[in-house]
């Protein structure tokens, strides 16, 4: 029988933290909505899996490996059964431990990192503690207006480049078509709230 569990924690960085995106340095000067970390735990009776998503622009590979190892140690779920995702939103931080090539500044706050890494572990443990029998439903629909755009372009020399600059005269066309489908999964749980 499939079981699903969920947890959500606030991981909003401190004011003054450098924000990623828009090709210039920006710093958090207020909070409109909290930055959240969500964990989904799945158990099919034979194994457990964790999907952890955070409202950051991105999480670098080295950091993902470290987080997976820490979560595995804290929960007993093997690291290869743990996925870390970020939403790629540009009103948050990136978590890579180094500057992005497009930006000069990046978050370097050891006290925040100590709490943040612990919250990744806590959210995973809380999601596992919240496991309840569940039924999975899925749905998909196209958006009436474009939801995204392709960042990879075919260039005049035949190469394909990511983010070559919106005004680059060497762009021939997008390398692919934008996917504007919205896909949803819902877990209806016995004796607990739906996810």
């Amino acid at each position: 029988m499939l079981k699903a569990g969920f947890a959500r924690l606030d991981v909003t960085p401190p004011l003054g933290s450098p924000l990623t995106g828009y090709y210039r340095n920006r710093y958090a000067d207020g909070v409109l909505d909290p930055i959240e970390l969500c964990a989904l735990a799945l158990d099919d009776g034979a194994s457990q899996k964790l999907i952890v998503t955070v409202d950051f622009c991105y999480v670098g590979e080295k950091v993902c490996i470290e987080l997976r190892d820490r979560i595995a140690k804290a929960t007993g779920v093997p690291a290869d059964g743990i996925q870390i995702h970020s939403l790629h939103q540009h009103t948050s931080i990136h978590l890579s431990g180094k500057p992005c090539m497009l930006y000069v500044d990046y978050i370097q706050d050891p006290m925040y990192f100590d709490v943040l890494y612990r919250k990744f572990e806590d959210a995973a443990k809380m999601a596992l503690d919240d496991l309840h029998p569940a039924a999975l439903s899925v749905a998909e629909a196209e958006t009436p207006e474009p939801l995204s755009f392709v960042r990879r372009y075919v260039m005049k020399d035949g190469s394909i480049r990511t983010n070559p600059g919106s005004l680059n005269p060497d762009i021939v066309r997008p390398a692919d078509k934008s996917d504007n489908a919205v896909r949803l999964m819902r877990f209806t749980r016995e004796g607990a709230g739906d996810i």
Side-chain angles (χ1 to χ4, degrees), residues 123-152:
K125 288 192 269 187
M126 291 166 63
L128 289 165
D129 289 344
D130 185 54
L131 286 169
H132 287 81
L136 172 63
S137 303
V138 295
E140 179 177 332
E142 286 286 322
T143 60
E145 297 179 12
L147 182 66
S148 62
F149 65 95
V150 175
R151 292 176 181 243
R152 294 171 36 86

Side-chain angles (χ1 to χ4, degrees), residues 52-53 141 162 170 182-183:
V52 183
T53 303
T162 301
D170 293 332
V182 175
R183 296 166 185 89

Side-chain angles (χ1 to χ4, degrees), residues 1-8 37-44 48-53 122-135 185-190 192-195:
M1 166 178 277
L2 177 66
K3 292 182 179 179
F6 180 75
R8 176 182 291 137
L37 170 70
C38 297
L40 171 66
L42 299 171
D43 186 329
D44 66 0
Q48 293 180 327
K49 306 291 183 196
L50 288 161
I51 300 172
V52 183
T53 303
D122 289 349
K125 288 192 269 187
M126 291 166 63
L128 289 165
D129 289 344
D130 185 54
L131 286 169
H132 287 81
M185 294 180 6
R186 179 180 181 179
F187 293 93
T188 305
R189 303 187 308 158
E190 297 174 22
D194 294 349
I195 301 173

Side-chain angles (χ1 to χ4, degrees), residues 171-188:
I171 293 175
V172 175
R173 62 178 164 68
D176 203 351
K177 209 174 121 186
S178 179
D179 179 0
N180 290 301
V182 175
R183 296 166 185 89
L184 298 173
M185 294 180 6
R186 179 180 181 179
F187 293 93
T188 305

Side-chain angles (χ1 to χ4, degrees), residues 45-121:
S47 66
Q48 293 180 327
K49 306 291 183 196
L50 288 161
I51 300 172
V52 183
T53 303
V54 66
D55 295 340
F56 293 160
C57 189
Y58 66 89
V59 180
E61 181 180 8
K62 183 177 176 184
V63 176
C64 279
I65 291 168
E66 181 180 353
L67 287 169
R68 288 173 59 194
D69 289 345
R70 288 178 66 134
I71 292 169
K73 185 176 179 183
T75 64
V77 175
D80 64 359
I82 301 168
Q83 294 183 6
I84 309 286
H85 298 273
S86 58
L87 297 183
H88 195 91
Q89 65 134 320
H90 285 233
T91 54
S92 185
I93 63 170
H94 73 270
L95 195 59
S96 69
K98 61 183 181 180
C100 173
M101 65 181 181
L102 300 173
Y103 317 102
V104 176
D105 209 351
Y106 64 102
I107 190 162
Q108 303 175 58
D109 185 331
M111 289 185 350
Y112 173 69
F113 288 145
D114 287 345
V115 172
L116 175 65
Y117 281 38
R118 178 67 181 269
K119 285 191 174 188
F120 270 86
E121 297 169 23

